[in-house]
Amino acid sequence: MHERIRKVEKNVFDVVIIGGGIHGCASAFFLARRGLRVVILEADYCGRHASGVNAGGVRTLGRPLAEMPLTLASCDLWHELNDLIGDDCGFVAQGQIKVAETEDDVQTLRDRVDLLAAHGFNHEVLVDRQTVRELVPAISEHVTGAIWVERDGFALPYRAVTAFRRAAEAEGAVVHENCRVSNVTQGASKWQATTNQGAFEAEYMVVAAGAWSGGIAQTIGEFLPVTPGGLMLMVTQRLPHFIKPVVGATSRGLSFKQYDNGTVVIGGELNCGVDINAGHAELDFSRLANSAKIVTDLFPFLKHVSINRAWSGIEGYTPDHAPILGASAEASKLIYACGFSSSGFQLGPASGQAVSELILDGASKVPIDGLALSRFSLAAAA
Ligand SMILES: Cc1cc2nc3c(=O)[nH]c(=O)nc-3n(C[C@H](O)[C@H](O)[C@H](O)COP(=O)(O)OP(=O)(O)OC[C@H]3O[C@@H](n4cnc5c(N)ncnc54)[C@H](O)[C@@H]3O)c2cc1C
């Protein structure tokens, strides 16, 4: 009995975070840094799912308006990661470029830049055919222009999650892996999470469980419109260096980058089926073949290059493809950071900071109103 009481006391924290992806680990870091006792409960191991297996794109380019303040704040943090957490996470600011392959594409990009300008954003810059060639000399002749974002780039996903986790631990956060939350309840003064490693209590709870977040919200009777989906990537053999920026296309799904070791990682809207209970996303080889075709259209000299490996990850999607970041509509002292809809790696640092400010200051310094859960009920009512 005495042992049991000690154990319960040991498992009492200020904040319980469910999920050890980039969002759980970054939130833990910013909370612990400001003195809170934080625990991460991770069903598998930190970085096992989307955060550790993604394409590493650090992209402000092409974001929905509601995400704009957060993505720009996150971009600043990516540039300062070494000072912040003692690891640059392999981030290289080699830019991201979205190319136009037709006149219609050029018009789409013009409209996009105009829209951003009307809202006071000027980080996405329209460039002409000649500039595209200077930035990406190997690109196909049919490309006629692009949007260019110089401060974007890419990083190493698993290293980034691990760096945030280690930085959080250095600030006193506790991490429990192989610790699956099966139920959450709110008592008079504390949240309780039931797991296979016992119960954990805290005044605040953060749900950062990626594609599984909706299931956790359901245990307190709250509906989160987060649907699981699979995403695939493939990687080529090592090649001589031929490209620096990350390349995307305007009207076809593509994200394409060459890492320091010479391999080229190819992805971009490569969806596949998912078994959420098994934690498995099934590779779809016909879609991968389509994507390879887009790559060789844009870089014809890659026609005879081998694909060495393909893999998949599981992501949580919302109906408008923007995340849910903010307070629960049903319960007090409950924060959601989920539904990042295939582009949440870049948002990790600023989202973690926003979660810490919601808990400690009652509001995020960066405006995140457009990411509130309530937008879905307001839209439904309208
Ligand atoms: C193939 C692929 C490519 C992508 N490319 C990019 C990109 O280039 N750029 C970009 O910005 N974004 C990209 N993304 C999206 C990005 O990876 C995700 O948006 C982001 O990693 C989500 O982070 P997260 O912490 O919310 O979720 P996750 O990393 O999924 O972490 C959630 C964690 O919660 C844990 N968990 C779930 N249920 C429970 C439970 N009951 N108890 C305890 N723990 C639980 C899981 O085990 C998991 O580790 C990509 C995603 C994929 C899959």
Side-chain angles (χ1 to χ4, degrees):
M1 181 65 179
H2 180 61
E3 192 55 36
R4 197 180 68 81
I5 291 171
R6 269 203 3 228
K7 198 164 175 223
V8 168
E9 282 173 355
K10 206 175 81 187
N11 284 348
V12 176
F13 293 85
D14 296 318
V15 186
V16 165
I17 297 176
I18 305 175
I22 188 109
H23 290 277
C25 293
S27 300
F29 166 69
F30 284 106
L31 285 162
R33 192 168 75 145
R34 289 182 63 188
L36 292 197
R37 288 167 304 141
V38 182
V39 64
I40 296 176
L41 307 178
E42 165 52 51
D44 209 303
Y45 57 86
C46 293
R48 162 64 185 86
H49 286 289
S51 300
V53 303
N54 65 58
V58 176
R59 171 179 63 78
T60 60
L61 199 168
R63 297 271 173 179
L65 283 172
E67 272 180 28
M68 211 54 85
L70 194 69
T71 193
L72 292 174
S74 223
C75 182
D76 289 343
L77 290 175
W78 277 101
H79 281 258
E80 295 161 14
L81 277 192
N82 227 348
D83 293 337
L84 192 68
I85 58 171
D87 190 328
D88 67 11
C89 302
F91 173 61
V92 283
Q94 293 180 184
Q96 294 230 4
I97 189 163
K98 181 184 263 193
V99 299
E101 299 181 81
T102 62
E103 276 313 306
D104 283 354
D105 282 358
V106 172
Q107 191 53 50
T108 303
L109 297 186
R110 259 194 219 117
D111 293 346
R112 164 76 183 173
V113 170
D114 289 348
L115 174 76
L116 291 189
H119 287 84
F121 301 111
N122 56 13
H123 58 291
E124 295 190 16
V125 178
L126 208 55
V127 294
D128 62 12
R129 179 193 286 262
Q130 175 60 26
T131 311
V132 177
R133 281 220 156 52
E134 284 161 18
L135 292 166
V136 191
I139 199 109
S140 163
E141 280 298 317
H142 76 279
V143 169
T144 50
I147 285 180
W148 165 241
V149 180
E150 194 174 1
R151 295 189 83 226
D152 282 353
F154 55 96
L156 296 170
Y158 190 73
R159 178 165 152 190
V161 183
T162 307
F164 269 106
R165 177 227 173 123
R166 297 274 180 248
E169 287 176 314
E171 296 287 353
V174 175
V175 179
H176 286 272
E177 296 185 309
N178 299 310
C179 184
R180 181 175 297 278
V181 175
S182 53
N183 194 32
V184 297
T185 51
Q186 189 176 28
S189 63
K190 285 195 176 12
W191 283 98
Q192 188 175 79
T194 308
T195 78
N196 52 312
Q197 293 182 23
F200 292 80
E201 289 188 354
E203 188 179 350
Y204 285 89
M205 182 165 287
V206 176
V207 176
W212 294 264
S213 299
I216 290 170
Q218 215 171 17
T219 68
I220 62 145
E222 182 151 43
F223 173 68
L224 285 192
V226 176
T227 311
L231 265 180
M232 305 180 287
L233 293 169
M234 51 190 163
V235 63
T236 68
Q237 65 186 88
R238 291 176 189 228
L239 299 166
H241 283 274
F242 68 96
I243 185 169
K244 276 182 172 276
V246 180
V247 177
T250 302
S251 46
R252 303 197 276 177
L254 177 72
S255 165
F256 178 94
K257 66 182 71 69
Q258 185 172 32
Y259 275 92
D260 206 29
N261 65 4
T263 59
V264 174
V265 171
I266 301 164
E269 297 171 35
L270 278 176
N271 306 109
C272 64
V274 62
D275 179 344
I276 185 76
N277 294 324
H280 173 72
E282 185 73 23
L283 289 177
D284 177 337
F285 286 93
S286 62
R287 278 182 180 240
L288 289 173
N290 283 342
S291 180
K293 165 85 174 68
I294 302 174
V295 169
T296 52
D297 285 351
L298 283 165
F299 298 94
F301 77 99
L302 292 178
K303 235 176 197 138
H304 302 293
V305 162
S306 307
I307 298 294
N308 273 6
R309 196 162 68 86
W311 70 96
S312 57
I314 302 176
E315 174 66 317
Y317 289 87
T318 64
D320 60 8
H321 282 205
I324 297 169
L325 183 59
S328 158
E330 293 285 335
S332 60
K333 301 186 176 181
L334 173 60
I335 306 292
Y336 293 115
C338 56
F340 287 91
S341 307
S342 86
S343 46
F345 178 62
Q346 190 272 353
L347 294 175
S351 167
Q353 190 163 41
V355 166
S356 73
E357 290 166 359
L358 286 170
I359 289 174
L360 281 154
D361 310 324
S364 155
K365 284 197 194 76
V366 174
I368 53 169
D369 296 353
L371 306 178
L373 173 60
S374 57
R375 72 186 188 270
F376 297 108
S377 47
L378 293 173

